[in-house]
Amino acid sequence: MPTINNPVVYSAIALDKIAEVQREPGFNHTRWGDADLEYVRCEIRDFYRREQRLSCVYCREQIAVRSAASAPVEHIVPKSRYLQFMFEPKNLCVVCADCNEFKSNREVLTDPPLTGNPIRTYPTDPHRYRLFHPHFDEYREHIIKAGFLYVENSRKGG
């Protein structure tokens, strides 16, 4: 069973804000941190905190209950490379600040598209990912955690 069983379902307010932002001329990934998207980020963060039981999907350590900085919203497929998936529910989760910094904007797809040939549909096949994907993969199949020691159990566990 995957770590995340239910993706976020946006409220009407969040959907309206997302649509408004995406229609803007020059819309890009840097808009994510802007004040007018705070409501959307909070909705996503609050949902995944509950869904993940306050646990980082990558290291399984506790994430913050209230602090946004200590429970950042993670874009599994980087928003800087795949703008079309910036608000895709299955591309989102919350992680600890350390895992967010470590993963950064690493390429996670096994077969990234050639420049100018974007993917239109979010990949749901777990084999399309180089790293553990919390919506599709079983944690223990890829990562073994013993205290603060993490051992790769597959190529996706690193």
Side-chain angles (χ1 to χ4, degrees), residues 2-152:
T3 300
I4 299 174
N5 297 307
N6 302 299
V8 66
V9 176
Y10 293 115
S11 67
I13 295 169
L15 287 171
D16 287 346
K17 179 46 75 179
I18 291 167
E20 178 184 321
V21 167
Q22 288 178 320
R23 284 191 303 267
E24 292 175 358
F27 166 66
N28 66 48
H29 73 282
T30 63
R31 287 286 276 115
W32 176 256
D34 290 354
D36 61 341
L37 285 173
E38 183 175 2
Y39 180 89
V40 175
R41 290 191 308 273
C42 287
E43 189 171 294
I44 293 166
R45 185 177 297 107
D46 290 347
F47 174 84
Y48 284 114
R49 278 179 169 145
R50 288 187 305 276
E51 179 69 16
Q52 297 170 212
R53 294 176 242 17
L54 295 174
S55 176
C56 173
V57 296
Y58 296 135
C59 72
R60 296 285 169 105
E61 294 298 317
Q62 186 173 356
I63 56 173
V65 175
R66 296 196 41 88
S67 169
S70 297
V73 174
E74 161 71 0
H75 291 83
I76 300 159
V77 172
K79 65 186 178 299
S80 61
R81 295 178 187 222
Y82 302 93
L83 183 62
Q84 68 272 32
F85 303 133
M86 188 159 101
F87 299 104
E88 166 59 47
K90 288 190 175 184
N91 192 41
L92 302 169
C93 60
V94 289
V95 296
C96 69
D98 287 342
C99 286
N100 189 53
E101 184 177 322
F102 177 75
K103 182 186 161 282
S104 187
N105 66 348
R106 290 172 51 187
E107 176 61 73
V108 299
L109 296 178
T110 56
D111 53 349
L114 300 173
T115 305
N117 190 14
I119 301 171
R120 305 229 183 270
T121 305
Y122 191 75
T124 57
D125 178 355
H127 296 98
R128 296 278 316 271
Y129 295 89
R130 295 177 186 180
L131 301 176
F132 163 77
H133 194 298
H135 288 271
F136 308 131
D137 290 318
E138 171 69 38
Y139 190 84
R140 290 181 301 243
E141 289 179 14
H142 304 287
I143 303 167
I144 298 171
K145 180 180 182 208
F148 288 103
L149 178 65
Y150 300 88
V151 180
E152 295 178 28

